[in-house]
Amino acid sequence: MAKKPGKRTSEKASAKKTPNKSPSKNKPESRLSPFDQPLRDQLLQLLKGGQAHATLDDAMGDWPVQLAGVKVANFPHTAWMLLEHMRIAQWDILEFSRNAKHVSPKWPEGYWPAAEAPADEKAWKASMAAFKKDLQAMERLVSDRKVDLHARIPWGDGQTVLREALLVADHNAYHLGQLVMLRKSIGI
């Protein structure tokens, strides 16, 4: 993300840049550092979770949809609110990382759902599926050796794919931790 969510690119900045040019795909593999692949491997492990962090399936895999909108004392969010927030933020970071024409949602309201509970089980499952799909897309971006993880994203203001991948991992880990605590508080 840029300095402030929702302010990733300006129309002026977007007009100056080459639209839809993939980020940093101009570095030949022969110029990559010998540390490039180990870094990619570590990023992938961090994104997937399961080492020091819970995965989405660990935190939510068997969460009953009827409890997706339950709030507990002294905690402002439901499982649905956290899932949707994670999905929207991750989608935003991914799209910013690969699409010069992407416009981020307005901060903060564009990053949170309006409702405390999903409309139905279909919406709950669709949100989880979209989260997983976008996470896999970020993993593919990180895995692509044609993408220079350290190069500035041409339409950004200093961000790199490395920074955006770390941001996704950090943001997901934080909110997955909240979901684990919410799960325990509800008694699931």
Side-chain angles (χ1 to χ4, degrees), residues 54-99:
T55 66
L56 181 70
D57 287 336
D58 292 338
M60 303 197 63
D62 61 349
W63 200 296
V65 70
Q66 64 270 23
L67 298 178
V70 171
K71 274 193 171 181
V72 296
N74 301 316
F75 194 76
H77 307 299
T78 66
W80 171 250
M81 294 167 74
L82 289 169
L83 174 61
E84 274 293 277
H85 172 66
M86 290 169 46
R87 181 192 64 75
I88 294 165
Q90 179 177 258
W91 163 82
D92 178 47
I93 296 165
L94 171 64
E95 288 306 311
F96 168 75
S97 298
R98 65 185 186 179
N99 181 354

Side-chain angles (χ1 to χ4, degrees), residues 59 62-65 67-68 70 79 179-180 182-188:
D62 61 349
W63 200 296
V65 70
L67 298 178
V70 171
L179 283 162
V180 169
L182 182 58
R183 176 186 198 99
K184 288 180 179 184
S185 296
I186 293 172
I188 300 173

Side-chain angles (χ1 to χ4, degrees), residues 46-49 54-60 82-94 123-140 167-176 179:
L46 186 61
L47 286 166
K48 290 176 182 179
T55 66
L56 181 70
D57 287 336
D58 292 338
M60 303 197 63
L82 289 169
L83 174 61
E84 274 293 277
H85 172 66
M86 290 169 46
R87 181 192 64 75
I88 294 165
Q90 179 177 258
W91 163 82
D92 178 47
I93 296 165
L94 171 64
W124 177 249
K125 288 182 178 181
S127 184
M128 279 204 247
F131 177 88
K132 290 176 182 180
K133 179 182 173 196
D134 287 343
L135 181 57
Q136 290 169 348
M138 179 57 86
E139 291 168 4
R140 284 191 303 276
L167 185 59
V168 165
D170 185 49
H171 188 259
N172 288 349
Y174 176 81
H175 290 298
L176 285 169
L179 283 162

Side-chain angles (χ1 to χ4, degrees), residues 7-77:
K7 302 251 182 198
R8 288 187 173 274
T9 61
S10 67
E11 289 178 24
K12 184 178 176 183
S14 293
K16 290 181 189 177
K17 309 296 179 185
T18 305
N20 290 331
K21 183 178 179 187
S22 218
S24 317
K25 284 202 173 190
N26 55 4
K27 189 171 186 179
E29 283 192 49
S30 61
R31 292 180 47 207
L32 293 175
S33 157
F35 302 107
D36 184 71
Q37 193 57 50
L39 175 61
R40 288 176 195 277
D41 293 343
Q42 288 298 312
L43 279 172
L44 290 170
Q45 289 176 10
L46 186 61
L47 286 166
K48 290 176 182 179
Q51 294 181 342
H53 303 107
T55 66
L56 181 70
D57 287 336
D58 292 338
M60 303 197 63
D62 61 349
W63 200 296
V65 70
Q66 64 270 23
L67 298 178
V70 171
K71 274 193 171 181
V72 296
N74 301 316
F75 194 76
H77 307 299

